[in-house]
Amino acid sequence: MLADKKILLIIGGGIAAYKTLDLIRRLRARGASVVPVLTRAGAEFVTPLSVSALAGAKCYTDLFDLTAEAEMGHIQLSRAADLVVVAPATADLMGKMVAGLANDLASTLLMATDKRVLLAPAMNVRMWQHPATVRNRAVLADDGVLFVGPNDGDMACGEFGPGRMAEPLEIVDAVAAALGAGPLTGRHVLVTSGPTHEPIDPVRYIANRSSGAQGAALAAALRDLGARVTFVTGPASVPPPAGVQVVAVETAAQMLAAVQQALPADAAVFAAAVADWRVANAAGQKMKKDGSGRAPALEFAENPDILATVSQMDAGRPGLVVGFAAETHDVLAHAKAKRARKGCDWIIANDVSPATGIMGGAENAVTVIDAGGAESWPRMGKDAVGRRLAQRIAEALGRLQAVDDV
Ligand code: C5P
């Protein structure tokens, strides 16, 4: 899948560099050639010898190495690749890229390249969440730099949270997607996410506790497999991922309109927690207490069911329609009934009763229900659920394509 692709692989200074050795093997196993560059800090973690032995190529380390310059100048090195990958991408390297510094071989190559750059960040949780890194990440994303990970999990420093470098196979997928060879390249996938806000009056609204974390994680994972993602989101507390087309809405009615506008799509996933009802007699002005002690009577009207509407489209229905079922009891029975009633292909069922901590939390435990039955996945981070779901969607679309081709 990566035959004849040339990857310039910059290895930064972090303990995750040991996983980059495996990444080299995985890239080569898919037909890519790897030209490795090891930073001075990177060489504290892995050696030029192991890197070059695995890459089957010279390992470049120094900007002022005359022999290396005579063999291939650093400008040429930066241009000969199809893609530049930085793994692990440290806070320091990201900061240098943002500042435009070029004081060693790696940073100079990153400044001189005319190719896309994919970063696989790895750092301590606090460093990843530091405002400077948050700023740098946003600037780099705006500059068109691609990211894969970091993931949530245990870290070598003993802490837990986002900052673990993506696994080698995830990086390989992101490389393939960046080179237009991902399993979802050329596909359009629509994702709804977050809560909706249904106004009571101009200052008050009815909402729910959805953070939008699962939808955002799924959209990022679909993007990493090469999909063009339209992300229709209500007012979520988790920011939308970079590199997807964001359509921000507030109400269910706006969400339906945005979804219809975004179609056609190869697949549509409805992860949003859409309010079932809106206030039919929403006031045009702020409601006031009138001193009588009587509370205003809100009247409710049912919202359009976006998932059912799209599932039951006669023409232009996406090949794969996926809904979520957040339940607090009898999860499986309700989810199966929901799949039949709404007419979608899959339902992702999860238990959101307060004891699970799933609603608004970092983890999810889901059961995927399709025509073939129910498949329960172990409890894992929402990022991991997103990646696994994106893979499953890619496989299903691949099968649909194969049927179409017959
Ligand atoms: O009926 P319930 O809200 O439990 O259904 C959940 C699924 O239906 C989710 O996938 C949700 O995004 C979708 N939904 C929708 N429009 C609604 C209500 C739910 O798309 N009005």
Side-chain angles (χ1 to χ4, degrees):
M1 102 210 214
L2 294 175
D4 305 326
K5 297 294 183 194
K6 272 208 184 90
I7 311 296
L8 182 68
L9 177 64
I10 296 173
I11 306 173
I15 184 62
Y18 83 92
K19 291 203 278 191
T20 308
L21 297 178
D22 189 36
L23 172 64
I24 297 173
R25 289 180 51 242
R26 305 281 185 178
L27 287 168
R28 293 190 70 203
R30 279 161 183 73
S33 61
V34 176
V35 176
V37 174
L38 191 56
T39 66
R40 184 173 298 202
E44 299 289 334
F45 294 89
V46 292
T47 69
L49 184 61
S50 47
V51 169
S52 88
L54 287 164
K58 178 184 169 72
C59 177
Y60 293 86
T61 52
D62 194 354
L63 183 56
F64 300 108
D65 176 340
L66 278 181
T67 325
E69 276 297 307
E71 284 166 4
M72 184 188 266
H74 63 271
I75 301 293
Q76 200 189 341
L77 194 59
S78 76
R79 307 278 165 85
D82 294 300
L83 182 72
V84 181
V85 177
V86 187
T90 59
D92 178 68
L93 273 170
M94 286 174 60
K96 276 185 176 165
M97 287 175 77
V98 168
L101 297 183
N103 60 357
D104 62 6
L105 181 59
S107 54
T108 305
L109 291 171
L110 286 162
M111 282 287 279
T113 188
D114 57 354
K115 298 299 175 344
R116 296 201 85 176
V117 177
L118 170 70
L119 303 188
M123 64 194 75
N124 169 270
V125 183
R126 290 211 163 230
M127 292 174 75
W128 178 248
Q129 291 173 338
H130 192 284
T133 311
V134 172
R135 274 196 306 274
N136 288 346
R137 202 209 137 131
V139 171
L140 291 170
D142 272 355
D143 288 349
V145 171
L146 304 169
F147 285 85
V148 52
N151 296 341
D152 273 354
D154 287 321
M155 319 255 302
C157 53
E159 293 181 20
F160 182 89
R164 259 173 80 94
M165 190 170 83
E167 296 306 316
L169 285 178
E170 288 165 24
I171 301 176
V172 170
D173 280 339
V175 167
L179 291 169
L184 288 175
T185 295
R187 303 290 201 168
H188 178 212
V189 183
L190 171 70
V191 178
T192 71
S193 184
T196 62
H197 284 181
E198 306 295 335
I200 296 171
D201 67 19
V203 295
R204 304 182 179 95
Y205 55 81
I206 293 176
N208 60 67
R209 296 184 195 282
S210 167
S211 64
Q214 188 59 80
L218 174 64
L222 291 162
R223 172 207 63 198
D224 286 348
L225 296 185
R228 175 168 74 84
V229 179
T230 303
F231 187 64
V232 179
T233 177
S237 50
V238 167
V244 303
Q245 163 100 42
V246 179
V247 185
V249 298
E250 289 207 351
T251 65
Q254 291 167 356
M255 188 172 275
L256 174 61
V259 163
Q260 286 169 330
Q261 177 89 33
L263 291 175
D266 296 287
V269 185
F270 295 89
V274 184
D276 287 324
W277 300 282
R278 67 180 176 281
V279 180
N281 56 343
Q285 291 182 318
K286 185 181 173 193
M287 289 175 165
K288 295 285 193 194
K289 282 186 281 196
D290 64 6
S292 69
R294 276 196 312 272
L298 297 182
E299 282 168 31
F300 288 93
E302 198 164 319
N303 267 332
D305 190 315
I306 306 167
L307 171 63
T309 306
V310 172
S311 296
Q312 292 162 28
M313 281 169 67
D314 291 329
R317 180 192 191 275
L320 180 68
V321 180
V322 181
F324 274 70
E327 307 285 350
T328 54
H329 56 284
D330 294 332
V331 177
L332 267 192
H334 280 134
K336 283 185 179 165
K338 198 164 282 181
R339 178 176 172 273
R341 192 169 67 244
K342 302 212 185 198
C344 57
D345 302 299
W346 303 352
I347 279 275
I348 316 301
N350 57 0
D351 184 346
V352 292
S353 48
T356 64
I358 283 174
M359 199 98 173
E363 294 195 327
N364 207 352
V366 305
T367 300
V368 181
I369 297 157
D370 61 13
E375 183 183 302
S376 288
W377 295 354
R379 190 176 171 118
M380 57 183 106
K382 287 182 178 173
D383 284 349
V385 171
R387 285 194 297 274
R388 197 156 158 181
L389 204 48
Q391 280 291 350
R392 203 179 197 273
I393 289 169
E395 284 158 23
L397 289 185
R399 279 196 301 275
L400 285 175
Q401 176 81 47
V403 171
D404 279 354
D405 289 347
V406 169

